[in-house]
Amino acid sequence: MWPDRRIIDLFKTEFPIVLAPMAGIMDADLVIAAAQGGALGSLPCAMLSAEKTREQVNIIRQRVSAPVNMNFFCHTAGDADPAREAGWKTRLGSYYKELGVDPAAPVNAANRAPFDEAMCALVEELKPEVVSFHFGLPDAALVRRVKAAGGIVMSSATIVKEAIWLEENGADVIIAQGAEAGGHRGMFLTDNIAQQPGTFALVPQVVDAVKVPVIAAGGIADGRGIAAAFALGASGVQIGSAYLRCPESKVTAPARTALAQAHDDTTFITNVMTGRPARGVPNRVMREVGPISPDAPAFPHAATALGPLKAAAEKLGKVDFTNLWAGQAVRMGREMPAAELTRSLAGAALARLRTLGG
């Protein structure tokens, strides 16, 4: 019934839907629920230790018989710049004072590590069916090891040039991430945020440029969006924001309220939260310091000084310094179990596709 079955046949899922990996606000519970609904569940591993990653994958394996996608960042790790970080903390000084937080107190460094030998060994141990990356691909030797362990390799492209590079360097599937998408931009061959194309412009051009299956991501939150992606030549879709308000997500109550109140024009792209462009619902610091600030240290170090502020504000029930990553279709999210949402999305898409085919 799907016009292109390549993703279903490759991933061996019921539907050509991928749950987007959303680091920090989800764990095995959402992966399991989406998989029970027929999607490919994705576990975000970029902020997890090897021990925690193993624990989460084991929980998934125990509760559902379905393929698993382990997702990693593969950025080039940069050393912290003490002078720049000190300047950033000074820039945030008024917030420290307001919340009564000691700016001289020790702070844990932001924990967003790139894929490395240790995580590759974990992939070889756990043997996930799919391994996806953000910000390009890791070293070629690591990619070969992932494939030798049986992993289908997937990564995000934000422009056609990135899609071609990914295919040439071993990606089996390409996620075409339109500018509408929530979370970090997957850009790795460009740093020009102003030139990022939207999903409708990007997907057909990527489809024309590569031979591997293409998954559309960005602004897709209902059956109409899924059907549109297939009409553009995609073999599947990746959906994140629509799942944010599912009971299985770990989004806090204040953050859920902020997401529920968002509109089509609410989200914007900022570098304030982590030092790298990402789309989300604006919080106080994004509005007052950003959305784009030249003072923000390079990824992921901008998040370090925000950590104590985030913790202090959340104790007061505020999301002034909390990441609220979401795409432009966040308003279309629904408060329903993830398995039910997945089946609803697939059913609506198939009904729309039948209408278009008739």
Side-chain angles (χ1 to χ4, degrees), residues 88 92 96 272-274 285 302-311 321 323:
W88 183 233
L92 302 172
Y96 274 83
V272 166
M273 301 306 297
T274 66
V285 73
T304 300
L306 287 167
L309 300 175
K310 175 179 182 288
F321 306 93
N323 296 340

Side-chain angles (χ1 to χ4, degrees), residues 105-265:
V107 179
N108 292 327
N111 61 333
R112 293 166 178 84
F115 188 72
D116 58 12
E117 290 275 347
M119 281 302 194
C120 190
L122 188 64
V123 165
E124 290 170 326
E125 172 194 333
L126 298 175
K127 292 182 166 46
E129 289 76 8
V130 184
V131 180
S132 65
F133 298 100
H134 214 47
F135 314 132
L137 289 171
D139 180 79
L142 294 178
V143 173
R144 286 194 294 271
R145 286 172 58 183
V146 169
K147 289 194 166 198
I152 297 164
V153 173
M154 182 163 66
S155 187
S156 300
T158 67
I159 54 175
V160 170
K161 183 167 65 172
E162 290 176 344
I164 294 170
W165 186 94
L166 290 173
E167 183 178 47
E168 290 175 345
N169 286 273
D172 301 304
V173 178
I174 291 167
I175 301 165
Q177 188 194 32
E180 300 94 325
H184 285 97
R185 305 299 304 147
M187 26 195 324
F188 61 95
L189 294 182
T190 177
D191 58 6
N192 192 336
I193 198 68
Q195 293 181 337
Q196 294 276 279
T199 305
F200 261 55
L202 180 64
V203 170
Q205 294 183 76
V206 169
V207 168
D208 289 348
V210 300
K211 295 182 176 62
V212 298
V214 175
I215 290 174
I220 302 169
D222 67 0
R224 293 169 296 182
I226 297 172
F230 275 87
L232 294 171
S235 302
V237 296
Q238 179 169 280
I239 298 176
S241 298
Y243 287 93
L244 286 172
R245 289 157 59 205
C246 291
E248 298 89 353
S249 88
K250 304 307 176 190
V251 177
T252 64
R256 284 176 187 270
T257 299
L259 293 168
Q261 294 172 347
H263 295 274
D264 61 307
D265 60 350

